[in-house]
Amino acid sequence: RIFNPMERDRFEYTAGLSCHYLQVLGVGSDHQGQGHGGALLRALIDECETVRRHLYLETETESNVALYEKFGFRVVKKITLPVVELPMWEMDRAPT
């Protein structure tokens, strides 16, 4: 029930879109800051560009919003998850 609003938004926003959903992207703390996350994200973006699909994700970390925006994502909606009161940014990157 906590994730219902986020899931509802995702299904509504992506309905009718040719879309990939990025559920989790992470790099171990001992490898952060070395460009590995960016390389993983760039590979996903390149694949989406090749097949002409949107790339959709949610993040709970405000500092990640700016990072994703540098890769061409835009905030679709900001919500607060019920019960846990956790902010979430729903983001999309359309093929160029």
Side-chain angles (χ1 to χ4, degrees), residues 42-57:
R42 175 51 54 203
L44 289 168
I45 290 169
D46 289 347
E47 173 63 21
C48 287
E49 288 291 336
T50 298
V51 297
R52 309 296 302 151
R53 291 181 183 246
H54 286 248
L55 185 54
Y56 186 90
L57 59 83

Side-chain angles (χ1 to χ4, degrees), residues 12-94:
E12 287 177 5
Y13 182 82
T14 61
L17 288 179
S18 183
C19 189
H20 285 311
Y21 172 57
L22 176 57
Q23 187 169 18
V24 176
L25 176 68
V27 176
S29 57
D30 54 334
H31 296 286
Q32 290 179 357
Q34 299 174 30
H36 300 301
L40 289 169
L41 188 55
R42 175 51 54 203
L44 289 168
I45 290 169
D46 289 347
E47 173 63 21
C48 287
E49 288 291 336
T50 298
V51 297
R52 309 296 302 151
R53 291 181 183 246
H54 286 248
L55 185 54
Y56 186 90
L57 59 83
E58 299 102 5
T59 183
E60 65 187 47
T61 309
E62 188 170 10
S63 61
N64 285 349
V65 173
L67 170 70
Y68 290 125
E69 286 175 334
K70 289 179 185 176
F71 282 91
F73 286 84
R74 67 179 183 86
V75 174
V76 173
K77 189 174 185 181
K78 181 184 176 193
I79 64 170
T80 300
L81 294 178
V83 181
V84 294
E85 297 299 314
L86 181 68
M88 295 295 291
W89 288 263
E90 301 169 355
M91 302 185 76
D92 175 61
R93 185 186 187 283

